Amino acid sequence: MVYVQRFSDVNNLAGAMACATFGLVLGGRIGGPVAGRLIRKHGLRPATPTGSGPVGEKPQGGADR
């Protein structure tokens, strides 16, 4: 009960927001380079698209005409 009286909900919310922000920033700073290294190590490339238009639209040209 002393804890609740000493530390209000406002302080708890501020602490939670600070921790969440710190986690997002740290995850981006560490995750980006790690992901880049793994992509280069395994030689990953983007998949080739089957169509160049928006989703649900038939590709132009080819055997579909």
Side-chain angles (χ1 to χ4, degrees):
M1 192 59 142
V2 174
Y3 179 81
V4 173
Q5 292 172 351
R6 187 167 178 201
F7 300 106
S8 68
D9 290 335
V10 174
N11 289 336
N12 292 338
L13 180 61
M17 294 299 287
C19 288
T21 303
F22 181 74
L24 287 170
V25 170
L26 195 62
R29 298 287 295 167
I30 293 174
V34 169
R37 248 182 244 116
L38 288 172
I39 288 170
R40 282 191 301 277
K41 178 182 176 183
H42 294 287
L44 300 177
R45 298 280 179 251
T48 55
T50 57
S52 59
V55 175
E57 186 176 298
K58 289 185 178 181
Q60 298 291 324
D64 291 17
R65 284 190 157 197

